[in-house]
């Protein structure tokens, strides 16, 4: 047969040309003269072997029975249509098809005949007849012949010729109601052959039931509407925060298009008396396609989806088709129950997905089709069950398990097919679908020949069931493959429409079939786990798949608790979790693994959208300070219910403080500050970790170093002293400018009274000191060593003294920094001893001599004493000023000083703000 593959049904038969005896030729001759001639020829041929001797007898027998040499004279006969499929007495049977000469020689006098064979006595006999190959004179019956054959003449090798045979039903000599074999043969003479032979034949079956039977078989036909997973877990968000779903590919659109598989199932199923068995995931995917969506491509890119109108039309057609029909909703995404039972039950939480899938199924169907479906049916793959499969199937509330008669086998040697419903304990019912009927529409039925043979055999099987026990009413269920092709759907629809005539069957809904009284003789024994087919077990999802699914589910559970709008994530990922367990992954383990990985990877990307920003090495100065840690939220929505915790590797050195709450809007970052306390200097490793409200870690921790450097009170005083000196230098410059201005005024007046006034008291000297800078009284307390300060002008503002260090913060042995600052910018030394005490004890003559030394120094020069300077050693005196140099005039009328312009006496203040003052002696 042309293009036949191993997938074709078992009824396909190889039609080879066979040599036939003259007796066969005699039976095919219609005229009396020809018969007489053939009788004489037969007699001659019969006697010839006797004359030739016993050695010739085997050769003659072989010539009559053996077929032609393999393939050398083969004719392929195809029956493309047979109408009506179940005729009554007044019908004319029309058979259309083609013949192809696949042999190596031309066939002469080619003729097509219709043959009516004997009736079939049982379902097993029908199955055997369908498997038989080659021509058999006794089994294939006689040709109708006469005016009902089709003469084709010469048929050259490789040539195909179409034919059409029309025969009235009463010409077939059909007897009692039943199933009859019907064959189409091609006879002719191959090159080099003297006699006509049957060179090819095709068989089918003709159900013959002209009148309605007294008891009709109830047939419940399941019409599956199931597809593979199409949606991914990933969505895209636009500026309006609308989520745009993404499809794995554009295959769904192809199935919905005119002529596509799903389009054909809906169009053909409309008005058929069937029960619609629907995967709600398919409805959800098509409904999603009615809006904006994206389509993924193999290279990872996406494009805008453009099949919204197609999806809307399909949903509209479906709503019209299911009106008034029973709807059965499988759990969402059609989870693989057998895989869960055999591999998933050992993974904690895996079986728990069934109940949410069942609840979601009812909601989805009601929302989209506006019908309440039945969700109490479970349908394992191919109806194969064992005790563990039944336990899992019924764990989510499905108390009716659709199985098959090749799984729950009859053990009571019944001679008939029992009713489908069987009680199996625990309040559960097994609905045992007929295996022969359920597998009748498999293989490539896109070819008319295969489709016609499938329909005829299906109808013949149903009639055989009715005739097994004519007076006993029974119900059977047909559970075809989950995802029929368009060609298979067309054959199924043709068969159901033929049964709709109601001569030996009547339709029944699945819900009514499960309520039918069970046959007490029928088997109710569910097979053990060892009876599950090994071929199906090899296709199951592995345990590792369920472990990966559960890891993803756990991650989703932890993630959703921090989201301000969890539904935006839970909905797409929750359905994707169910799609990972779909029955449709059987036979495609690589695609199944790729889909699981894509779901897990996308969830990881989302969870990492909330993360800690890595910090560099931090320096912490002082006993207490704030450490900021940045938390970034790259999600579209906000996060809440998080807390950030810092942990110190050395708590005795650095206390990082209390945990801080985290709440961030979508697309923003938050700087979380921790009030830390330092107890000792040094490097400390600190770890930051986010936690959910229930104490679970969220995301990866982030570690960084903190360099604890405590700044003492002494250092703070040095800094403050530097600031103070800067202020005092500015005041001193101002005072000097003022003094120069006074001196210039005195010179202009030409008077000498200014010098006397300057001798009485230099402007700016503090109260209680002489003009030379000597203390008014020597009873003041002496300054301690190292606390010497430069005396400032009396006009110095109050409050410019250095603050006292806290004794608790100053290390032992620390000294206050000196505030001496020469105009040249030389920094003071903390180690210079103070000379104030010795200066206070000098006799007045020595003080006068020191004052004269000051007066003779150049303007603006200041002398510093070091720690090794002897108090009684005088430095070299500068040259004296020219006589007649004017003296500065004080602003308060005191005697002007005889020191050069810009020179003043320095006084030291005691560290800590003591009252005593001391003169710094310049030498």
């Amino acid at each position: 047969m042309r293009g036949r593959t191993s997938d074709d049904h078992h009824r396909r038969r190889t039609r080879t040309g066979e040599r036939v005896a003259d007796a066969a030729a005699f039976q095919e001759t219609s005229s009396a003269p020809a018969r007489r001639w053939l009788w004489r020829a037969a007699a001659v041929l019969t006697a010839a072997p006797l004359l030739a001797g016993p050695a010739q007898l085997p050769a003659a027998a072989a010539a009559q029975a053996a077929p032609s040499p393999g393939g050398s004279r083969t004719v392929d006969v195809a029956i493309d249509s047979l109408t009506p499929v179940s005729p009554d007495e007044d019908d004319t049977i029309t058979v259309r098809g083609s013949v192809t000469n696949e042999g190596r020689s031309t066939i002469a006098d080619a003729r097509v005949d219709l043959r009516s064979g004997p009736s079939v006595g049982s379902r097993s006999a029908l199955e055997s007849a369908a498997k038989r190959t080659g021509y058999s004179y006794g089994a294939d019956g006689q040709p109708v012949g006469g005016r009902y054959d089709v003469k084709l003449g010469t048929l050259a090798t490789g040539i195909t010729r179409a034919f059409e045979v029309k025969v009235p039903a009463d010409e077939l000599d059909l007897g009692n109601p039943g199933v009859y074999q019907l064959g189409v043969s091609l006879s002719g003479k191959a090159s080099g052959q003297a006699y006509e032979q049957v060179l090819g034949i095709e068989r089918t079956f003709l159900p013959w039931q002209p009148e309605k039977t007294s008891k009709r078989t109830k047939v419940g036909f399941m019409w599956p509407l199931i597809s593979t997973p199409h949606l991914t877990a990933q969505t895209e968000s636009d500026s309006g925060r609308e989520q745009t779903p993404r499809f794995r590919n554009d295959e769904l659109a192809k199935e919905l298009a005119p002529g596509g598989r799903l389009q054909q199932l809906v169009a053909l199923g409309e008005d058929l008396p069937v029960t619609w068995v629907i995967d709600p995931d398919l409805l959800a995917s098509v409904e999603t396609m009615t809006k904006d969506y994206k389509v993924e491509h193999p290279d990872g890119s996406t494009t805008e989806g453009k099949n919204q109108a197609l999806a809307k039309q399909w949903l509209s057609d479906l709503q019209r088709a299911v009106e008034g029909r029973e709807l059965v909703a499988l759990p969402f995404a059609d989870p693989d129950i057998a895989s869960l039972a055999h591999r998933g039950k050992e993974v904690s939480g895996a079986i728990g997905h069934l109940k949410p899938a069942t609840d979601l199924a009812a909601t989805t169907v009601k929302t989209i089709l506006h019908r309440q479906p039945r969700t109490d049916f479970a349908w394992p793959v191919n109806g194969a069950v064992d005790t563990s499969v039944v336990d899992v199937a019924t764990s989510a509330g499905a108390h009716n398990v659709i199985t098959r008669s090749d799984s729950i086998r009859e053990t009571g040697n019944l001679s008939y097919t029992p009713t489908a419903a069987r009680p199996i304990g625990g309040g559960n019912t097994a609905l045992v679908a007929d295996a022969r009927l359920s597998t009748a529409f498999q293989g490539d039925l896109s070819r008319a020949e295969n489709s016609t043979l499938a329909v005829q055999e299906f109808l013949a099987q149903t009639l055989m069931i009715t005739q097994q026990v004519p007076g006993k009413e029974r119900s059977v269920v047909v559970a075809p493959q989950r995802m029929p092709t368009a060609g298979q759907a067309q054959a199924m629809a043709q068969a159901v429409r033929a049964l709709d005539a109601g001569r030996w069957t009547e339709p029944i809904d699945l819900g009514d079939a499960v309520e039918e009284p069970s046959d007490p003789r029928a088997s109710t024994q569910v097979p053990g786990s060892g009876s599950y087919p090994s071929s199906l077990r090899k296709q199951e999802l592995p345990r590792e798949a369920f472990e990966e699914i559960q890891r993803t589910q756990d991650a989703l559970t932890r993630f959703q608790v921090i989201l301000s709008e969890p539904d935006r994530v839970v909905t797409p990922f929750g359905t994707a979790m169910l799609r990972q367990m779909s029955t449709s992954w059987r036979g495609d383990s690589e695609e199944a693994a790729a889909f699981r990985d894509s779901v897990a990877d996308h969830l990881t990307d989302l969870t990492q959208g909330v993360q800690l920003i890595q910090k560099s090495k931090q320096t912490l100065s002082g006993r207490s300070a704030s450490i900021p840690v940045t938390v970034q939220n790259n999600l579209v929505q906000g996060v809440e219910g998080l807390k950030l915790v810092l942990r110190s590797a050395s708590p005795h050195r650095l206390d990082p403080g209390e945990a801080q709450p985290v709440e961030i809007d979508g697309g923003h970052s938050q700087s979380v500050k921790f009030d830390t306390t330092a107890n000792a200097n040094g490097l400390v490793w600190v770890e930051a970790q986010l936690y959910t409200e229930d104490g679970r870690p969220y995301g990866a921790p982030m570690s960084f170093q903190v360099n604890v450097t405590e700044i003492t009170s002494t250092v703070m005083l040095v800094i403050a002293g530097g600031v103070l000196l800067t202020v005092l230098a500015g005041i001193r410059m101002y005072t000097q400018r003022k003094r120069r201005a006074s001196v210039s005024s005195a010179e202009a007046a030409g008077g000498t009274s200014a010098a006397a006034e300057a001798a009485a008291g230099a402007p700016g000297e503090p109260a209680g000191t002489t003009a030379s800078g000597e203390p008014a009284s020597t009873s003041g307390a002496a300054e301690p060593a190292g606390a010497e300060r430069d005396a400032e002008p009396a006009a110095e503002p109050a409050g410019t003294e250095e603050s006292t260090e806290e004794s608790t913060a100053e290390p032992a042995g620390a000294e206050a920094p000196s505030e001496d600052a020469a105009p040249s910018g030389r920094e003071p030394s903390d180690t210079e001893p103070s000379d104030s005490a010795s200066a206070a004890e000098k006799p007045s003559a020595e003080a006068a001599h020191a004052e004269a030394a000051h007066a003779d120094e150049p303007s603006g020069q200041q002398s510093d004493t070091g720690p090794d300077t002897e108090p009684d050693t005088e430095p070299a005196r500068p040259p004296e000023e020219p006589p007649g140099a004017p003296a500065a005039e004080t602003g308060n009328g005191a005697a002007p000083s005889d020191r050069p312009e810009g020179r003043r006496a320095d006084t030291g203040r005691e560290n800590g703000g003591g009252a005593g003052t001391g003169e710094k002696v310049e030498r």
Side-chain angles (χ1 to χ4, degrees):
M1 191 174 292
R2 305 184 305 276
R4 290 247 169 89
T5 65
S6 58
D7 291 335
D8 288 344
H9 194 263
H10 59 263
R11 61 183 167 278
R12 310 296 184 265
R13 289 161 300 273
T14 304
R15 293 168 301 279
T16 61
E18 300 181 25
R19 298 184 182 273
V20 293
D22 289 345
F26 167 75
Q27 294 293 337
E28 295 174 359
T29 305
S30 58
S31 63
R35 286 197 199 95
R36 289 193 294 271
W37 183 87
L38 288 175
W39 275 112
R40 289 193 294 270
V44 172
L45 291 175
T46 304
L50 297 177
L51 296 174
Q56 300 295 326
L57 288 174
Q64 294 182 23
S68 302
S72 62
R73 295 181 178 88
T74 299
V75 174
D76 176 53
V77 181
I79 301 176
D80 294 336
S81 69
L82 191 157
T83 55
V85 292
S86 58
D88 59 25
E89 295 176 342
D90 298 329
D91 287 333
T92 296
I93 300 171
T94 301
V95 181
R96 296 183 178 89
S98 63
V99 293
T100 302
N101 183 1
E102 296 180 345
R104 288 176 283 181
S105 61
T106 300
I107 299 173
D109 300 331
R111 185 182 74 252
V112 176
D113 286 302
L114 193 64
R115 293 172 177 268
S116 177
S119 64
V120 181
S122 65
R123 296 188 70 186
S124 58
L126 189 150
E127 191 171 10
S128 299
K131 293 178 180 178
R132 185 163 51 85
T133 60
Y135 169 72
S136 173
Y137 168 73
D140 288 321
Q142 304 301 315
V144 177
R147 60 192 179 94
Y148 302 113
D149 61 12
V150 177
K151 295 177 175 60
L152 301 178
T154 300
L155 187 63
T157 180
I159 297 300
T160 298
R161 299 281 296 276
F163 68 84
E164 179 182 86
V165 179
K166 292 187 177 182
V167 179
D170 56 7
E171 290 288 336
L172 296 179
D173 195 20
L174 301 174
N176 295 326
V179 175
Y180 291 83
Q181 296 183 57
L182 189 67
V184 176
S185 64
L186 183 131
S187 302
K189 291 186 293 185
S191 191
Q193 300 295 324
Y195 307 105
E196 187 180 71
Q197 308 167 36
V198 175
L199 300 176
I201 187 169
E202 174 71 287
R203 301 177 190 85
T204 186
F205 301 96
L206 188 67
W208 177 245
Q209 183 64 49
E211 304 293 337
K212 287 186 178 182
T213 58
S214 59
K215 296 290 186 180
R216 292 178 293 176
T217 301
K218 298 177 181 178
V219 178
F221 204 105
M222 295 168 54
W223 197 258
L225 206 59
I226 301 170
S227 186
T228 58
H230 295 284
L231 280 169
T232 69
Q234 191 168 354
T235 60
E236 299 181 10
S237 299
D238 56 20
S239 58
R241 293 173 51 81
E242 289 293 330
Q243 289 180 286
T244 304
R246 291 174 63 168
F247 283 76
R248 295 173 58 218
N249 47 51
D250 215 16
E251 292 300 316
L252 181 57
K254 296 178 182 179
E255 291 190 314
L256 299 178
R261 188 182 70 87
L262 294 174
Q263 187 273 336
Q264 285 289 288
L265 279 168
V266 171
L268 294 168
E270 187 175 3
D271 299 328
L272 290 180
V274 295
T275 295
W276 292 77
V277 181
I278 301 176
D279 175 11
D281 181 32
L282 173 61
L283 300 183
S285 299
V286 178
E287 198 273 338
T288 300
M289 188 179 282
T290 62
K291 306 170 186 176
D292 292 338
Y293 68 96
K294 296 289 184 69
V295 179
E296 288 185 353
H297 299 286
D299 61 356
S301 63
T302 61
T303 55
E304 295 288 342
K306 301 178 181 179
N307 293 293
Q308 288 83 356
L310 199 64
K312 292 177 182 178
Q313 183 61 51
W314 186 85
L315 283 178
S316 176
D317 294 342
L318 177 61
Q319 290 174 352
R320 184 174 61 254
V322 301
E323 187 175 354
R325 301 297 180 187
E326 184 178 51
L327 295 180
V328 170
L330 299 175
F332 193 93
D334 189 20
D336 193 335
I337 298 174
S339 292
L340 280 168
H342 298 151
R343 315 290 177 91
K345 66 180 180 182
E346 299 177 359
V347 179
S348 177
I351 297 179
H353 290 285
L354 271 182
K355 186 63 171 69
T358 302
D359 297 339
L360 182 58
T363 303
T364 303
V365 174
K366 186 174 181 180
T367 301
I368 297 176
L369 297 183
H370 312 294
R371 294 274 307 280
Q372 185 66 45
R374 295 193 62 153
T375 58
D376 55 344
F377 285 89
W379 188 15
V381 174
N382 290 359
V385 297
D386 57 23
T387 52
S388 62
V389 172
V390 171
D391 290 343
V392 172
T394 56
S395 64
H399 300 297
N400 304 308
V401 181
I402 302 170
T403 179
R404 219 162 64 181
S405 60
D406 54 355
S407 183
I408 296 184
R409 300 177 180 271
E410 297 303 323
T411 58
N413 296 322
L414 290 178
S415 60
Y416 59 89
T417 302
T419 291
R422 321 278 176 87
I424 54 176
N428 301 317
T429 301
L431 203 59
V432 183
D434 187 84
R436 290 190 181 103
L437 298 179
S438 298
T439 58
F441 302 102
Q442 295 181 353
D444 181 14
L445 301 189
S446 60
R447 298 178 59 193
E449 173 191 12
N450 297 344
S451 177
T452 298
L453 297 179
V455 171
Q456 293 304 128
E457 186 172 344
F458 176 84
L459 297 176
Q461 288 283 359
T462 59
L463 181 56
M464 292 299 302
I465 292 174
T466 302
Q467 290 189 336
Q468 287 173 340
V469 188
K472 186 177 181 64
E473 188 177 78
R474 287 158 294 154
S475 63
V476 296
V477 171
V478 181
Q481 57 273 24
R482 266 177 155 71
M483 289 185 284
T485 64
Q488 292 168 350
Q490 291 168 359
M492 290 160 50
Q494 185 179 0
V496 174
R497 280 194 294 266
L499 290 179
D500 202 27
R503 293 203 293 270
W504 65 87
T505 64
E506 62 178 299
I508 186 173
D509 289 337
L510 220 58
D512 294 332
V514 80
E515 300 294 337
E516 287 285 298
S518 60
D519 192 322
R521 298 178 59 189
S523 174
T524 59
Q525 183 66 39
V526 177
S529 58
S531 301
Y532 193 82
S534 59
S535 59
L536 293 179
R537 194 181 291 270
K538 292 178 182 177
Q539 298 177 351
E540 292 177 346
L541 294 172
R543 173 175 176 169
E544 292 76 14
F546 292 103
E547 290 174 346
E548 183 177 358
I549 293 171
Q550 200 57 38
R551 285 194 297 269
T552 306
Q553 178 62 59
D554 293 342
L556 177 63
T557 302
R558 293 191 298 270
F559 182 47
Q560 69 183 49
V561 299
I562 73 166
L563 302 176
S564 59
E565 300 174 74
D567 288 346
R568 292 174 61 89
V569 172
V570 173
T571 299
F573 273 97
T575 53
M577 218 71 65
L578 299 177
R579 294 184 183 110
Q580 294 179 80
M581 299 185 292
S582 175
T583 302
S584 64
W585 296 121
R586 282 185 175 248
D588 200 354
S589 59
E590 291 184 1
E591 279 295 315
F595 185 79
R596 292 193 301 271
D597 291 344
S598 68
V599 174
D601 292 345
H602 181 47
L603 182 59
T604 300
D605 292 342
L606 288 181
T607 56
Q608 291 177 350
V610 181
Q611 60 181 342
L612 300 173
I613 302 301
Q614 182 62 48
K615 292 182 65 66
S616 58
K617 183 178 178 180
Q618 301 292 301
T619 299
L620 182 63
S621 301
R623 289 185 175 183
S624 61
S626 295
I627 295 181
V629 178
T630 302
V631 185
Q632 187 177 47
N633 177 17
N634 291 325
L635 303 178
V636 176
Q637 61 175 301
V639 295
E640 56 192 16
L642 284 173
K643 60 181 179 180
L644 182 58
V645 176
L646 289 188
R647 288 193 180 90
S648 172
S650 301
H652 63 281
R653 180 172 294 172
L654 177 66
D655 180 4
E658 299 294 328
Q660 300 295 321
V662 175
E663 186 171 340
I664 316 173
D665 292 335
H668 289 76
S669 298
Q670 178 182 349
S671 181
V672 183
K673 294 184 178 180
F674 288 83
D675 294 331
T676 61
T677 302
N679 301 315
N681 296 343
L683 288 174
V684 180
W685 276 103
V686 176
E687 181 184 83
Q689 175 68 64
L690 289 169
Y691 286 89
T692 58
E693 289 182 340
D694 57 358
R696 292 185 177 183
Y698 180 87
M702 184 268 293
S703 298
F704 59 97
Q705 279 187 313
V706 176
N707 185 16
V708 180
T709 304
E710 183 180 359
I711 299 181
T712 63
S713 300
T714 302
V715 176
M716 293 297 295
L717 287 174
V718 170
I719 297 173
V723 174
L724 180 60
L725 287 175
T726 302
V727 174
L728 293 177
I731 296 174
R732 186 171 183 176
M733 292 174 63
Y734 171 77
T735 306
Q736 289 175 348
R737 292 191 184 98
K738 186 175 181 181
R739 184 179 294 123
R740 292 190 189 100
S742 300
V743 171
S744 299
S745 299
E747 289 176 348
T752 59
S753 60
E757 291 176 1
E765 289 291 331
T769 62
T770 66
S772 62
E774 287 288 334
S777 173
T778 60
S779 62
E783 288 184 22
E788 186 179 14
R789 301 271 196 269
D790 289 343
E792 300 298 337
E796 180 179 45
T800 60
E801 295 141 13
E802 191 176 64
S803 61
T804 306
E805 288 183 320
E806 296 178 6
S807 60
T808 59
E810 180 177 350
E815 298 183 30
S818 173
E819 292 182 352
D820 293 340
S824 62
R826 187 179 73 84
E827 294 181 3
S829 170
D830 291 338
T831 60
E832 289 184 347
S834 174
D835 293 336
S836 59
S838 59
E841 296 171 358
K842 296 285 183 179
S844 59
E846 184 178 352
H849 178 76
E851 179 63 22
H854 282 292
D856 294 336
E857 288 178 358
S859 175
Q861 178 178 347
Q862 179 178 345
S863 173
D864 294 333
T865 61
D868 298 329
T869 302
E870 295 295 333
D872 56 352
T873 303
E874 284 188 7
R877 294 176 60 90
E880 294 183 358
E881 295 264 331
E889 182 177 358
T890 62
N892 55 5
S897 173
D898 60 354
R899 291 178 294 183
E901 180 183 349
R903 186 66 183 171
R904 65 182 176 85
D906 291 338
T907 62
R909 293 187 186 87
E910 183 177 351
N911 185 29
T917 62
E919 180 187 3
K920 181 177 181 180
V921 180
E922 290 285 336
R923 288 184 282 268

